[in-house]
Amino acid sequence: GNSVTQMEGPVTLSEEAFLTINCTYTATGYPSLFWYVQYPGEGLQLLLKATKADDKGSNKGFEATYRKETTSFHLEKGSVQVSDSAVYFCALKGSGAGSYQLTFGKGTKLSVIP
Amino acid sequence: DAGVIQSPRHEVTEMGQEVTLRCKPISGHDYLFWYRQTMMRGLELLIYFNNNVPIDDSGMPEDRFSAKMPNASFSTLKIQPSEPRDSAVYFCASSLGGGDSDTQYFGPGTRLTVL
């Protein structure tokens, strides 16, 4: 079946530091890949997505590239801010008929300190 | 649009009581999903609907859990009787379609505590 593995947190960074959160996946076919962000006390919000190999999703300074050869979708940001403190979830949606559900990683908690 | 709406935001109940969680999806969305989030198991899909019809309920943990979608704008998740291990955050999400890239939009969640 499908699965997503994320680096374990928590991750603590100073403001303006570079961020990488690793995500690898196992899936058959050609899944779509997503990063969701959950701020304290809130639901999940879509941060970015990529639907095919070599696509790059980007939003709010965050980027992730769909690498089929390494089955990875690592999240990066060049300069984090305190407001980026949240839990980040990598997720995939399988391809083909009936593949409507998202499979999530465990989440990585990011804390950015001034 | 107001987004996915869930109520209540917080629910505290005693073991054995019936609990009903409510969700209003985004207007026009054909798919509705119920997820449960716990520290131990992360985010798990419980059940999803397409055009008000339950499609896959294999994630529903036990017969104590049931979900309905009587119309396109309302769904309920019921736990009867509730147990302390049901304590979690329950999210509802909706999407326009079921395509590979269709985005699921999440509600704010209901934090359930069963004493």
Side-chain angles (χ1 to χ4, degrees):
Chain A
N2 297 335
S3 67
V4 175
T5 303
Q6 285 182 240
M7 63 184 287
E8 292 193 15
V11 174
T12 301
L13 295 174
S14 297
E15 207 164 20
E16 298 184 3
F18 184 85
L19 168 71
T20 299
I21 300 178
N22 290 338
C23 171
T24 56
Y25 67 89
T26 302
T28 55
Y30 302 92
S32 295
L33 301 173
F34 304 81
W35 276 101
Y36 279 82
V37 58
Q38 184 178 27
Y39 297 103
E42 298 184 11
L44 279 73
Q45 302 174 25
L46 178 68
L47 182 59
L48 52 85
K49 68 180 183 182
T51 59
K52 60 182 187 296
D54 300 325
D55 267 2
K56 177 185 284 188
S58 61
N59 186 25
K60 300 181 181 179
F62 291 88
E63 293 182 340
T65 301
Y66 187 164
R67 301 284 189 202
K68 189 163 178 64
E69 64 276 13
T70 54
T71 61
S72 65
F73 192 55
H74 304 322
L75 182 68
E76 295 182 337
K77 186 175 186 182
S79 175
V80 293
Q81 305 300 312
V82 172
S83 57
D84 294 327
S85 298
V87 181
Y88 293 81
F89 293 90
C90 185
L92 73 80
K93 187 186 232 188
S95 59
S99 299
Y100 303 122
Q101 67 179 75
L102 285 168
T103 300
F104 286 91
K106 297 273 189 190
T108 302
K109 183 176 182 180
L110 170 67
S111 297
V112 180
I113 54 177
Chain B
D1 199 312
V4 177
I5 299 172
Q6 290 186 249
S7 65
R9 292 294 308 275
H10 302 274
E11 177 79 34
V12 180
T13 191
E14 293 189 347
M15 183 174 62
Q17 297 297 305
E18 177 180 296
V19 174
T20 300
L21 312 181
R22 297 172 176 80
C23 174
K24 176 179 168 54
I26 293 172
S27 177
H29 281 192
D30 291 335
Y31 287 80
L32 184 140
F33 305 81
W34 282 100
Y35 289 88
R36 178 171 67 175
Q37 184 181 38
T38 62
M39 290 293 292
M40 291 297 294
R41 300 172 69 92
L43 272 157
E44 305 172 279
L45 177 69
L46 300 177
I47 185 172
Y48 76 91
F49 296 82
N50 176 214
N51 290 326
N52 313 337
V53 176
I55 302 300
D56 184 353
D57 65 354
S58 59
M60 296 285 263
E62 302 172 31
D63 291 345
R64 299 184 296 107
F65 285 69
S66 62
K68 294 182 180 180
M69 192 165 185
N71 57 62
S73 59
F74 183 65
S75 176
T76 59
L77 177 67
K78 184 177 293 186
I79 308 173
Q80 166 63 18
S82 58
E83 296 182 3
R85 60 194 167 117
D86 301 332
S87 298
V89 181
Y90 292 82
F91 289 104
C92 176
S94 69
S95 68
L96 186 61
D100 294 350
S101 62
D102 276 288
T103 298
Q104 291 183 22
Y105 294 88
F106 283 73
T110 295
R111 181 173 294 277
L112 173 64
T113 302
V114 183
L115 303 175

